[in-house]
């Protein structure tokens, strides 16, 4: 219901109405115009995000019009997509935390329950939203995260859950395809893919090297790559290496993005990042509380009786914090955007937010299962307080009138060729439109959605 009540963002119509800059990326999936001709255009390395949003928001509202009216169908289409993305992320996080795919397993349900409150639709949305109120941002940020977590499922299983099990032929075929799709999707995936895959390759090499040394099979360092490729994790190594290559290619053609702002030097962008981090982390209490909860859990793990599982969690936390720092340091190299003046913002922090959700969920599940009864009598009320904090904060006024929806119905009913709107509520735009000539994309979108029978310009 909260997703359904959200207004449309100001970018969605530009992505479903093919303007002068969008056709380049939609007609060139692999960015060859940038690679071969040096052409600068909008999002050369983001075809699959552009294409998914274009196809979905042009067709899903028309399908839903079998059940609801045209205006309502556009909001329902956005809500369905956001809800599926949120559900997918909760399920995937619960799997990684519980390490089981049984949806009715107690640990899986507990993990899902623990991470759900952190998905903020209202409340702390402007600080830590993973599912943004903007459907455009969801397709460029949240959806690629779903696909990324899905991509690593069989690799995670082969490395950590059942190390003796090789990748099946189905995954051997599907993962390279998914690697290409991911690398040419959201703006965050290329950097994430390189960092995570490189870390997993280092882990794989170190693990295999230890096993070879124990078996007396360890050769020279020069021969190690060949030995690794003959080992049981050969398929994992090849898949991770291919994904890194795809991500590096994406990072390169991303330098031809016409949206890149060159008004600031790299040093100036790092100054903006340095000044923006405290502003982002202290603007609301949502992110600091989650970070504090993770740190407290890790301290409790450190103080508890050591077990292989607790040692593994602490080691994962160290890797996550290291990769998180590297990721944040790399953010200014992705270019400057006027709408993101401090470089760091809720959208660029999504990987950090998801990593903290995982660390909180996995450490909490461990402490609940291994803590003494006296410990749980104190710990469980603290967990309930955290759930309550985020749940009560994330309450929007579902009865609030959606003025944009009313304006769309006014335009649909109007007999005028150019419609004058009395309210100043933004309609398919980031702000009010005072010049009807500026409303061309919105008018075209309303016609494509069958809200109007012809293109009707409008103004406030």
């Amino acid at each position: 219901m909260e997703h359904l009540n959200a207004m449309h963002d100001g970018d969605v119509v530009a992505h479903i109405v093919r303007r002068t800059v969008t056709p380049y990326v939609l007609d060139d999936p692999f960015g060859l115009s940038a690679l071969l001709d040096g052409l600068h255009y909008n999002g050369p390395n983001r075809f699959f995000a552009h294409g998914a949003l274009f196809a979905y928001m042009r067709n899903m509202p028309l399908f839903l019009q079998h059940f609801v009216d045209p205006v309502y169908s556009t909001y329902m289409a956005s809500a369905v997509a956001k809800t599926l993305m949120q559900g997918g992320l909760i399920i995937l996080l619960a799997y990684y935390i519980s390490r089981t795919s049984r949806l009715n397993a107690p640990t899986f349900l507990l993990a899902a329950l623990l991470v759900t409150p952190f998905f903020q639709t209202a409340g702390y949305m402007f600080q830590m939203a993973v599912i943004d109120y903007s459907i455009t941002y969801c397709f460029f940020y949240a959806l690629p995260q779903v696909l990324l977590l899905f991509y690593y499922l069989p690799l995670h299983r082969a490395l950590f859950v059942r190390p003796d099990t090789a990748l099946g032929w189905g995954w051997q075929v599907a993962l390279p395809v998914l690697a290409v799709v991911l690398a040419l999707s959201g703006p965050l995936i290329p950097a994430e893919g390189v960092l995570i895959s490189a870390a997993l390759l280092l882990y794989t090499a170190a693990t295999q090297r230890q096993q070879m040394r124990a078996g007396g099979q360890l050769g020279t360092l020069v021969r190690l790559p060949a030995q690794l490729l003959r080992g049981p994790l050969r398929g994992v190594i090849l898949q991770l290496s291919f994904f890194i290559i795809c991500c590096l290619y994406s990072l390169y053609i991303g330098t031809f993005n016409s949206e890149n702002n060159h008004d600031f030097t790299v040093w100036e962008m790092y100054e903006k990042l340095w000044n923006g981090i405290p502003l982002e982390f202290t603007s609301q209490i949502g992110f600091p509380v989650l970070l504090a909860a993770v740190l407290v859990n890790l301290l409790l793990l450190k103080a508890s009786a050591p077990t292989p599982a607790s040692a593994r969690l602490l080691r994962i936390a160290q890797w996550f914090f290291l990769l998180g720092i590297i990721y944040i340091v790399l953010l200014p190299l992705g270019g400057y955007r006027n709408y993101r003046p401090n470089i760091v913002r809720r959208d660029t922090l999504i990987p950090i937010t998801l990593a903290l959700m995982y660390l909180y969920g996995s450490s909490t599940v461990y402490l609940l299962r291994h803590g003494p009864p006296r410990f749980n009598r104190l710990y469980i009320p603290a967990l309930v307080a955290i759930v309550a904090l985020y749940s009560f904060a994330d309450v929007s006024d579902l009865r609030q009138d959606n003025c944009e929806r009313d304006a769309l119905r006014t335009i649909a009913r109007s007999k005028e060729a150019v419609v004058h709107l009395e309210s100043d509520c933004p309609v398919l735009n980031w702000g009010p439109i005072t010049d009807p000539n500026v409303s061309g994309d919105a008018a075209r979108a309303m016609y494509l959605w069958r809200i109007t029978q012809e293109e009707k310009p409008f103004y406030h």
Side-chain angles (χ1 to χ4, degrees):
M1 290 301 298
E2 288 186 333
H3 291 321
L4 190 61
N5 199 51
M7 295 173 62
H8 291 305
D9 64 78
D11 287 336
V12 65
V13 296
H15 288 85
I16 65 171
V17 178
R18 300 188 69 176
R19 299 192 304 179
T20 54
V21 292
T22 307
Y24 286 112
V25 64
L26 293 178
D27 294 335
D28 189 4
F30 305 108
L32 296 179
S33 299
L35 177 67
L36 301 177
D37 304 326
L39 184 65
H40 287 72
Y41 58 94
N42 188 343
N45 61 339
R46 302 175 190 176
F47 165 78
F48 291 98
H50 279 279
L53 180 62
F54 178 83
Y56 182 86
M57 287 305 293
R58 281 180 73 108
N59 295 288
M60 190 61 171
L62 302 184
F63 169 75
L64 292 173
Q65 286 173 24
H66 290 92
F67 313 100
V68 296
D69 69 79
V71 170
Y72 203 69
S73 72
T74 64
Y75 295 96
M76 184 171 285
S78 295
V80 168
K82 293 176 184 179
T83 305
L84 289 175
M85 292 176 200
Q86 182 169 332
L89 286 171
I90 291 171
I91 290 172
L92 287 164
L93 283 170
Y95 164 79
Y96 281 108
I97 292 169
S98 64
R99 306 179 81 182
T100 178
S101 57
R102 290 192 301 114
L103 300 184
N104 61 344
T107 52
F108 183 95
L109 295 173
L110 175 60
L113 175 66
L114 288 170
V115 300
T116 295
F118 299 117
F119 286 87
Q120 296 284 292
T121 305
Y124 308 125
M125 187 273 294
F126 286 102
Q127 185 187 46
M128 57 182 297
V130 175
I131 308 298
D132 204 278
Y133 76 94
S134 162
I135 187 62
T136 303
Y137 275 68
C138 288
F139 271 85
F140 279 78
Y141 291 89
L143 179 59
Q145 300 303 318
V146 177
L147 297 178
L148 185 69
L149 290 178
F150 182 77
Y151 172 85
Y152 284 116
L153 277 180
L155 304 175
H156 174 269
R157 185 170 180 267
L159 287 174
F160 303 109
V161 181
R162 300 183 65 180
D164 298 329
T165 305
L167 289 176
W169 68 268
W171 286 116
Q172 295 280 16
V173 174
L175 286 180
V177 176
L178 191 53
V180 173
V181 171
L182 275 166
L184 299 173
S185 290
L188 307 182
I189 295 299
E192 284 184 87
V194 170
L195 289 176
I196 297 173
S197 297
L200 291 175
L201 280 177
L202 286 174
Y203 169 83
T204 304
T207 303
Q208 291 288 92
R209 193 167 184 270
Q210 283 183 338
Q211 293 175 354
M212 291 175 186
R213 176 182 288 142
Q217 301 172 337
L218 185 64
T220 62
L221 194 62
V222 176
R223 294 177 55 195
L224 182 61
Q227 287 180 307
L228 291 175
L229 290 176
R230 289 196 300 267
L233 293 176
R234 175 177 179 272
V236 172
I237 294 171
L238 290 176
Q239 295 290 350
L240 291 171
S241 301
F242 180 72
F243 190 26
I244 290 175
I245 292 171
C246 292
C247 289
L248 291 175
Y249 171 77
S250 177
L251 288 170
Y252 174 71
I253 64 171
T255 60
F256 294 89
N257 191 344
S258 59
E259 290 184 304
N260 291 341
N261 188 317
H262 302 287
D263 293 340
F264 301 97
T265 65
V266 173
W267 177 252
E268 288 173 328
M269 287 194 288
Y270 273 103
E271 285 184 330
K272 291 179 179 295
L273 173 67
W274 182 253
N275 294 328
I277 289 175
L279 294 176
E280 177 63 29
F281 279 49
T282 60
S283 59
Q284 293 177 300
I285 65 170
F287 204 96
V289 170
L290 173 57
L291 178 59
V294 170
L295 293 176
V296 169
N297 274 1
L298 294 177
L299 289 174
L300 292 173
L301 279 176
K302 189 75 172 175
S304 64
T307 65
S310 65
R312 177 180 62 84
L313 284 174
L314 290 170
R315 189 163 57 251
I316 290 173
Q318 291 173 346
W319 273 101
F320 272 27
F321 278 105
L322 174 62
L323 293 176
I325 292 171
I326 296 173
Y327 171 80
I328 291 176
V329 169
L330 292 176
L331 279 178
L333 302 182
Y336 182 80
R337 302 291 186 273
N338 293 326
Y339 54 82
R340 197 186 295 127
N342 296 317
I343 310 293
V344 63
R345 201 176 65 163
R346 64 180 184 275
D347 44 10
T348 54
L349 280 178
I350 286 177
I352 307 295
T353 305
L354 291 174
L356 289 176
M357 288 185 195
Y358 166 81
L359 290 175
Y360 173 77
S362 55
S363 58
T364 299
V365 168
Y366 178 87
L367 290 170
L368 286 173
R369 295 180 64 185
H370 295 87
R374 182 180 300 176
F375 170 79
N376 284 343
R377 284 199 293 267
L378 297 174
Y379 189 64
I380 291 177
L383 295 182
V384 173
I386 290 176
V387 171
L389 171 68
Y390 288 90
S391 298
F392 286 115
D394 189 35
V395 176
S396 62
D397 187 356
L398 299 179
R399 296 170 295 179
Q400 182 180 359
D401 291 334
N402 188 324
C403 57
E404 182 187 47
R405 191 178 301 162
D406 295 336
L408 289 174
R409 290 200 169 99
T410 298
I411 296 170
R413 290 192 300 263
S414 176
K415 304 298 183 183
E416 301 294 328
V418 178
V419 182
H420 172 237
L421 298 173
E422 296 293 341
S423 69
D424 60 355
C425 178
V427 177
L428 299 175
N429 197 57
W430 291 114
I433 295 176
T434 57
D435 181 357
N437 295 318
V438 179
S439 68
D441 284 346
R444 177 65 176 165
M446 286 187 285
Y447 173 69
L448 292 172
W449 284 332
R450 299 175 187 165
I451 294 174
T452 58
Q453 300 303 310
E454 59 183 352
E455 294 184 27
K456 283 189 178 180
F458 62 90
Y459 67 100
H460 298 82

